[in-house]
Amino acid sequence: MPLDSVDLAAIWLTFKLASVTTLILLLVGTPIAWWLARTTSRMKGPIGAVVALPLVLPPTVLGFYLLVAMGPNGFIGQFTQSLGLGTLPFTFAGLVVGSVFYSLPFVVQPLQNAFEAIGERPLEAAATLRAGPWDTFFSVVLPLARPGFITASILGFAHTVGEFGVVLMIGGNIPGQTRVVSVQIYDHVEAMEYAQAHWLAGGMLLFSFLVLLVLYGSRLKQGWRG
């Protein structure tokens, strides 16, 4: 059999991590993106730079500082210990936290672009109809920004699936708990099990291609409609 139970467990854990992370990113990233798209505050530049930092920061650097922060002496670690949750490194929850930070710009930036593209007219029209802020957001903004949400979801999910440095630093290599596909491929290569590595790497390559195909296909359709 090309893939054994350990490989299948890594695949399941990877998609579980990507699904949970994407959901959290949409919940967290939407208000951040809306604020960045609408604000005139001087803090827009610094906050936007912090959000985009994972785009240029080596994953091992981000993983190292998150590992320290979530450790027993870090501020996150001390907070989780005070809640009786223990520390997050080398747990699935720790992987989720690291993945949220690492994939944040891949969700926030498409949403910010979608919100900025809406312009002022739809919002002003909603205001003349006496729609409240929440009603305007859910009835006007969300439908108009739907392509941005689709792009953000695809990119956030795909980027989380392809993580290596951050998850290895924070989660280590615990089968069934923190060993995702990228780490499993690394293990196969280290053990010179190239056949198994080919199956997993080939699957990741196909997955990445299909993601980009769907993404660019949806953008072309939007262009034709426009």
Side-chain angles (χ1 to χ4, degrees):
M1 183 178 178
L3 300 177
D4 58 21
S5 60
V6 178
D7 294 327
L8 295 176
I11 293 172
W12 161 246
L13 185 65
T14 301
F15 280 88
K16 178 183 174 183
L17 173 64
S19 299
V20 173
T21 299
T22 302
L23 178 60
I24 295 175
L25 282 171
L26 289 173
L27 294 174
V28 173
T30 297
I32 296 175
W34 178 249
W35 184 85
L36 288 172
R38 302 287 299 168
T39 188
T40 57
S41 170
R42 294 180 180 178
M43 293 302 295
K44 178 178 180 177
I47 292 178
V50 170
V51 170
L53 199 58
L55 293 174
V56 297
L57 196 65
T60 49
V61 174
L62 179 62
F64 169 71
Y65 282 113
L66 285 175
L67 181 64
V68 172
M70 293 190 294
N73 298 319
F75 68 96
I76 297 178
Q78 291 179 351
F79 176 71
T80 55
Q81 288 180 98
S82 68
L83 296 177
L85 301 176
T87 55
L88 297 179
F90 311 111
T91 66
F92 179 78
L95 289 186
V96 171
V97 172
S99 299
V100 167
F101 277 100
Y102 188 50
S103 296
L104 186 62
F106 291 86
V107 170
V108 170
Q109 291 187 353
L111 292 179
Q112 181 182 346
N113 293 335
F115 291 151
E116 290 174 346
I118 292 174
E120 295 293 334
R121 282 190 176 183
L123 304 181
E124 293 172 353
T128 60
L129 297 173
R130 298 182 179 180
W134 286 105
D135 189 26
T136 299
F137 186 80
F138 285 102
S139 301
V140 178
V141 174
L142 287 186
L144 292 176
R146 183 187 174 196
F149 277 93
I150 294 174
T151 300
S153 300
I154 293 173
L155 289 178
F157 188 93
H159 190 251
T160 303
V161 168
E163 289 178 28
F164 177 72
V166 170
V167 296
L168 188 61
M169 290 289 289
I170 296 175
N173 190 1
I174 306 173
Q177 297 185 41
T178 62
R179 184 186 291 175
V180 294
V181 169
S182 57
V183 177
Q184 182 71 359
I185 293 173
Y186 180 77
D187 284 350
H188 281 315
V189 173
E190 271 201 324
M192 301 186 70
E193 298 169 348
Y194 293 140
Q196 293 92 326
H198 273 304
W199 277 98
L200 285 177
M204 291 287 287
L205 180 62
L206 179 61
F207 171 77
S208 301
F209 174 76
L210 292 176
V211 164
L212 292 175
L213 189 64
V214 170
L215 185 60
Y216 285 110
S218 64
R219 287 181 177 178
L220 285 174
K221 288 181 180 179
Q222 293 165 24
W224 292 335
R225 290 173 183 173

